């Protein structure tokens, strides 16, 4: 469903998709890094009317984008491009019960290079291999409720709603 997620490797759930160094520029690379609960590791999933989704890094508002063609094409972030296939994705259950993330461009799978899970390993697209580098878990991040001013500042008597003669 739509929402904000961390996207981690199924076999190494501490390793998250990350926009390199929190960069906000077009072309900033996506790689794996240990999850640190920072916005460059959080992604908004939004669906279009055709059922494809955009994967949007929270810190930049850009889109995960396939740069190039064929196996090992790099994945970075780029501003919205009007709906081209290189920014459209399918998220579906894998044969192993995790998730595969598949680019509409050439139906290539989001893939950790050589299925490695160490900090800095590049994220690319690759034909379906069934390997661990294409197995992801999506963990929804609950939005924090921001406090709002509900009572004017001042001096108050605080009483029990069910026993108004009882006061703090």
């Amino acid at each position: 469903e739509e929402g904000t997620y961390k996207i981690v490797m199924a076999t190494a759930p501490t390793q998250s998709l990350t926009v390199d160094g929190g960069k906000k520029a077009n072309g900033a690379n996506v790689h794996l890094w240990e999850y640190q609960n920072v916005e460059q590791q959080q992604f908004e999933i939004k669906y279009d009317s055709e059922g494809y989704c955009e994967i949007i890094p929270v810190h930049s508002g850009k889109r995960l984008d396939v740069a190039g063609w064929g196996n090992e094409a790099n994945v970075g972030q780029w501003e919205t491009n009007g709906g081209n296939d290189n920014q459209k994705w399918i998220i579906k259950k894998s044969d192993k019960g995790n998730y595969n993330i598949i680019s509409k461009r050439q139906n290539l799978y989001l893939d950790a290079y050589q299925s490695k899970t160490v900090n800095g390993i590049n994220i690319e697209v690759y034909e379906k291999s069934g390997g661990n580098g294409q197995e992801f878990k999506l963990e929804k991040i609950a939005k924090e409720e921001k406090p709002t001013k509900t009572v004017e500042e001042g001096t108050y008597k605080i009483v029990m709603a069910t026993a108004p003669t009882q006061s703090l």
Side-chain angles (χ1 to χ4, degrees), residues 44-92:
E44 185 179 354
I45 306 292
K46 289 176 95 174
Y47 284 89
D48 66 16
S49 60
E50 298 175 328
Y52 292 98
C53 68
E54 294 179 312
I55 302 173
I56 305 166
V58 169
H59 79 291
S60 69
K62 296 187 184 297
R63 307 295 186 267
L64 287 196
D65 184 283
V66 178
W69 295 87
N71 287 335
E72 299 184 0
N74 197 52
V75 175
Q77 70 175 5
W78 204 269
E79 63 195 32
T80 186
N81 63 16
N84 290 344
D85 291 352
N86 57 316
Q87 293 184 347
K88 291 185 177 190
W89 303 89
I90 298 168
I91 299 173
K92 72 174 194 173

Side-chain angles (χ1 to χ4, degrees), residues 22-37:
K23 296 173 184 166
K24 294 184 179 182
N26 285 335
N29 195 48
V30 175
H31 60 201
L32 289 182
W33 205 266
E34 184 178 345
Y35 188 73
Q36 302 291 320
N37 195 28

